[in-house]
Amino acid sequence: MQTRTLGNSNLQLSEVGLGCWQLGGDFGPIEPKTVEDIIVAALESGISFFDTADVYGGGASERYLGEHLSSRTPKPVIATKYGRGDGAFPDGYSLTHMRDSIKRQQDRLQTDCIDLLQLHCVPTEIMRRGEIFDWLRTMQQENLIQHFGASVETVEEGLICAEHKDLTSLQVIFNIFRQKLLDELLPKAEDQNIGVIVRLPLASGLLSGKFSEKTQFDESDHRNFNRDGDAFNVGETFAGIPFETGVKLAKQVEDRTPEGYTTAQMAMRWILDQPAVTAIIPGASSPEQVRENAKVSDLPPLPDQLHEELYDFYQQEVKQHIRGVY
């Protein structure tokens, strides 16, 4: 497993991390033993970066990570988020609320100082006002957090956050179906030494090549109740593409998969080939999936010609189907 330095920090992240949304049960019920097996498989595969949030399973994801990682040596890097929980979103943000939330997160994660705290898709206007970044600096000064970043929904939000020179990272939706970031945001992040963490590298599983138009999801899975953006931002599920359309487009990506890669591995390798990217955080529902994802770090970069083909594919076949602002 290769590692990369996260932006202006001293944090070393495994190129492939583990997205831990599913560990909270938000993709359907999950047994504690399965959670443990997934985390152990990640560690055995060289994964040293875990991404979670206070709202994943109402704190369950953070508790699992605290239980299984707090005593590990060397200690893995854990990034969590603030901003979507009760009392905060959409307009209840304050320094006191942030501090209290962080202290509860520290208890669940079993740590005295959070490695990386990210704003969690807070409203654009809140970020534009800028006060919330001063509160993050106060949390740093109080040694409650080591570094801060922001998880955003749109290029505009990413550019707003990038105006803060001490921002360590941006977490973004970026994949073969969502290439708009290549034009301005990723070059700016690279120029300003802001780390880029990529969520939804497989567009909620579309780019795994395992779905068909008849695929059904558990009632508690966001891919069921948010497939059209009814519960939260439309672009957060299936990259904003209607599911049936996404399945057809994914078949075209599968047809371009080179020998030696699965479709999912090619899609993730495509992201890691971008120089601005620090790490990807695919989720996993089984230890086997974790191990397959981790192998991407050791695969060679994709040919330049394939990168050009996939960019043309996005421009000509994909981007017109993306719903919502991104």
Side-chain angles (χ1 to χ4, degrees):
M1 174 68 69
Q2 306 299 311
T3 62
R4 301 182 186 185
T5 303
L6 182 67
N8 55 30
S9 77
N10 60 355
L11 298 177
Q12 293 294 312
L13 308 189
S14 53
E15 289 183 335
V16 181
L18 180 67
C20 297
W21 189 359
Q22 77 286 354
L23 301 189
D26 297 315
F27 285 60
I30 187 168
E31 295 295 324
K33 182 61 167 63
T34 303
V35 172
E36 180 180 6
D37 290 345
I38 288 172
I39 293 173
V40 169
L43 294 169
E44 291 176 345
S45 300
I47 290 174
S48 60
F49 175 48
F50 297 77
D51 177 87
T52 186
D54 55 349
V55 293
Y56 293 169
S61 178
E62 289 181 327
R63 282 193 293 272
Y64 280 129
L65 293 181
E67 177 183 347
H68 294 292
L69 298 180
S70 61
S71 61
R72 292 278 177 171
T73 304
K75 183 177 176 291
V77 175
I78 301 177
T80 190
K81 308 182 191 76
Y82 162 81
R84 299 294 289 193
D86 291 342
F89 184 84
D91 56 5
Y93 303 100
S94 71
L95 174 60
T96 299
H97 189 279
M98 179 184 286
R99 182 186 288 114
D100 290 346
S101 175
I102 288 173
K103 288 182 177 180
R104 290 191 295 271
Q105 291 175 277
Q106 288 177 328
D107 288 343
R108 291 191 290 267
L109 291 168
Q110 301 183 32
T111 184
D112 294 327
C113 183
I114 291 172
D115 298 324
L116 175 67
L117 184 77
Q118 304 159 100
L119 298 179
H120 195 179
C121 302
V122 304
T124 308
E125 185 54 37
I126 297 293
M127 289 189 285
R128 185 178 285 114
R129 290 210 306 257
E131 189 178 28
I132 199 167
F133 292 97
D134 291 331
W135 301 339
L136 288 168
R137 295 180 184 103
T138 298
M139 296 299 93
Q140 258 186 332
Q141 292 164 4
E142 295 180 5
N143 203 35
L144 296 180
I145 64 173
Q146 187 176 1
H147 302 283
F148 65 84
S151 178
V152 299
E153 298 280 7
T154 69
V155 167
E156 178 192 12
E157 291 172 352
L159 293 172
I160 291 170
C161 294
E163 293 304 312
H164 297 270
K165 305 303 182 185
D166 49 352
L167 188 84
T168 288
S169 63
L170 283 171
Q171 186 178 131
V172 297
I173 302 172
F174 178 57
N175 54 56
I176 290 171
F177 286 167
R178 289 286 287 266
Q179 298 190 37
K180 180 180 178 181
L181 283 70
L182 289 169
D183 297 334
E184 184 177 6
L185 184 56
L186 292 191
K188 187 175 184 68
E190 186 178 11
D191 182 63
Q192 295 187 190
N193 197 23
I194 296 171
V196 174
I197 300 165
V198 175
R199 69 183 187 274
L200 298 171
L202 299 179
S204 305
L206 276 177
L207 290 166
S208 69
K210 297 179 180 178
F211 295 165
S212 73
E213 289 89 342
K214 297 180 180 179
T215 298
Q216 299 292 317
F217 301 99
D218 188 272
E219 286 188 5
S220 62
D221 191 322
H222 76 101
R223 293 173 295 184
N224 175 44
F225 64 78
N226 194 57
R227 63 191 296 163
D228 296 318
D230 296 330
F232 45 87
N233 185 280
V234 68
E236 198 74 33
T237 303
F238 302 130
I241 297 172
F243 178 70
E244 292 77 10
T245 302
V247 170
K248 294 174 183 176
L249 292 170
K251 183 63 171 64
Q252 295 186 53
V253 174
E254 184 178 356
D255 291 341
R256 292 176 166 88
T257 302
E259 186 176 352
Y261 300 74
T262 66
T263 300
Q265 288 172 339
M266 179 191 74
M268 290 186 283
R269 185 68 250 180
W270 178 89
I271 299 170
L272 288 178
D273 286 351
Q274 313 300 331
V277 171
T278 307
I280 58 175
I281 48 171
S285 58
S286 69
E288 293 74 24
Q289 192 175 4
V290 173
R291 297 185 187 101
E292 285 301 304
N293 292 344
K295 292 177 183 177
V296 173
S297 179
D298 294 326
L299 291 172
L302 301 175
D304 291 343
Q305 181 181 349
L306 181 55
H307 276 280
E308 293 170 5
E309 285 182 20
L310 290 170
Y311 181 74
D312 291 341
F313 166 69
Y314 163 76
Q315 292 287 344
Q316 297 168 15
E317 304 290 340
V318 178
K319 71 177 185 178
Q320 67 265 34
H321 297 294
I322 300 174
R323 302 166 295 178
V325 178
Y326 70 104

